[in-house]
Amino acid sequence: MKILVTGGLGFIGSHTVVELQSEGFEVVIIDDCSNASEEVLKGINAITGKMPLYEKIDLKDKEKVIDFFKRHDDVEGVIHFAASKAVGESVEKPLLYYENNIATLVYILKELSQKKKSSFIFSSSCTVYGQADKMPITESAPIKPAESPYGNTKQMGEEIIRDTCLVTPNLNAIALRYFNPMGAHPSAEIGELPIGVPQNLIPFITQTGVGMRKELSVFGDDYPTKDGTCVRDYIYVVDLAKAHVQALKRLLEHENGENYEVFNLGTGTGSSVLEVIQSFERVSGEKLNYKIVDRRPGDVISAFADTTKANEVLGWKAQYTLDEAMKSAWDWEQKIRN
Ligand code: UD1
């Protein structure tokens, strides 16, 4: 069964391709390599013994999208990761984000709507909840006004899919709201590869650990949390990848309740920035250089998932601990720097 994975060379995409291939799916990747490298294909091949099909296509090119679906009319499901994801950059370049994240989504949905039957998985984010009023966050928590164009593209993306599903019974879709993905494949053949200075906590920590960065800035220690630093739900990328396969199978096997569904993907445990640093120090045996600085504008205080729906309805549960995920991130960082 052929599955299209857009953004399949990226961090979460590549791990999902591995899980799909391990379960016997045939994968075709579309990636424009704007934030990923074709080298990732070698890593996927090293793990699974199979080279996925791959086409370098910019999904903003509508004609190319139409042409792709004509040539691959046997695609039965699409997992759509391709998107820009830097919050700060989205504030600087809103139109880039609306074009990359929204226009491309519309083009793909237009093609899928014309098929007799199609299954679609969308990468959404816990960012749609903003600062939720209650922890842990359930899927029915209100959607708060977006803090950034990036966050807005995730909210709008969900609405576009929901509205399309309402009038397109042959389209079945699931939006997965990720909490904070981290880590790398246990083989250390694929992992996170941020370009330039990492904006996210985990790659900044591991790069500081290997000496590429002088010190980590911890953004604020005066939040109303257990130790004053922000709390997040860090989810191992392989667990996350498996959830995509589970969601896809749910659609392919007609197990979905409605033709548009939403699931949180997290561990259900909130960890503070200082706890994440302690985890790094435990698994690496190294002391991490860090200093406390001012809060980062736009950061929410706390966000962790209520995973009941994913556990009970999707039949998926995160298996790995923060330390295990951290160990994989550290192994990967050391491997790529050597
Ligand atoms: C951010 C986005 C989220 C997006 C995700 C993926 C916001 C509010 N959320 O998540 O929408 O899906 O990135 O790109 O922007 N931290 C430090 N020092 C650092 C980096 C981070 O202390 O150098 C702290 C942050 O304040 C935060 C935590 O670490 O408390 C996690 O930060 P980060 O990895 O950037 O993820 P989010 O901000 O949660």
Side-chain angles (χ1 to χ4, degrees), residues 7-20:
L9 299 182
F11 175 40
I12 308 169
S14 57
H15 289 81
T16 302
V17 170
V18 165
E19 295 305 319
L20 284 168

Side-chain angles (χ1 to χ4, degrees), residues 85 87 125 127 150 180 199-201 204 216-219 230 232 234 273 296 298-300:
K85 60 164 189 175
V87 176
S125 166
T127 196
Y150 161 78
N180 288 56
Q199 306 298 308
N200 294 112
L201 179 63
F204 205 104
L216 168 77
S217 295
V218 174
F219 298 136
C230 290
R232 298 287 185 273
Y234 295 90
V273 177
R296 180 172 70 175
D299 268 341
V300 298

Side-chain angles (χ1 to χ4, degrees), residues 41 44 65 93 108 136 217 268:
L41 290 167
I44 294 170
V65 175
K93 303 173 185 166
I108 293 171
S217 295

